[in-house]
Amino acid sequence: RFSSKSGQYAPPLGDEKMAAFYRARRRFSELAHDPKYVLSLQLKPGDLLIFDNQRLLHARSGIAPTDGERWVQGAYFDRDGLWLNYERWRRRAGTSE
């Protein structure tokens, strides 16, 4: 979860810019925790969820005692490698997409 208390990196800035930086971080935290911007899903065994890690802020909720066991498998792939392989395939297939 994003936490406005987590510290994270703050660049070396003058007093005025530092104050603006922390105002912006607080605002981001407000937006990230606003229920109108939150989508909650209950995944079932066998469900698959795919998202772009660079475009989506995501988290998992806490585990309640009634939830049972949780097992999530993560997989990552390199966007450049994906497009490179697609382009190779496209050229071999002779398509012009």
Side-chain angles (χ1 to χ4, degrees), residues 43-93:
L43 300 177
K44 299 179 292 302
D47 284 350
L48 173 68
L49 178 63
I50 299 175
F51 54 86
D52 185 338
N53 238 7
Q54 295 181 353
R55 307 236 347 141
L56 181 72
L57 181 61
H58 59 90
R60 287 179 250 167
S61 61
I63 302 173
T66 57
D67 285 347
E69 192 173 321
R70 178 182 283 183
W71 184 81
V72 176
Q73 176 66 49
Y76 301 89
F77 58 88
D78 176 39
R79 181 178 292 144
D80 291 335
L82 180 67
W83 283 114
L84 174 65
N85 288 325
Y86 167 77
E87 184 61 23
R88 284 180 180 159
W89 174 85
R90 187 188 67 75
R91 288 178 183 188
R92 270 190 235 134

Side-chain angles (χ1 to χ4, degrees), residues 5-60:
K5 300 177 196 174
S6 63
Q8 299 178 3
Y9 171 76
L13 300 169
D15 292 343
E16 190 174 314
K17 285 188 177 183
M18 186 65 78
F21 173 82
Y22 281 108
R23 276 194 308 276
R25 277 196 49 192
R26 281 191 296 276
R27 180 64 181 138
F28 179 79
S29 179
E30 290 168 3
L31 292 170
H33 291 94
D34 188 326
K36 72 181 177 183
Y37 299 118
V38 174
L39 172 66
S40 294
L41 302 171
Q42 180 68 47
L43 300 177
K44 299 179 292 302
D47 284 350
L48 173 68
L49 178 63
I50 299 175
F51 54 86
D52 185 338
N53 238 7
Q54 295 181 353
R55 307 236 347 141
L56 181 72
L57 181 61
H58 59 90
R60 287 179 250 167

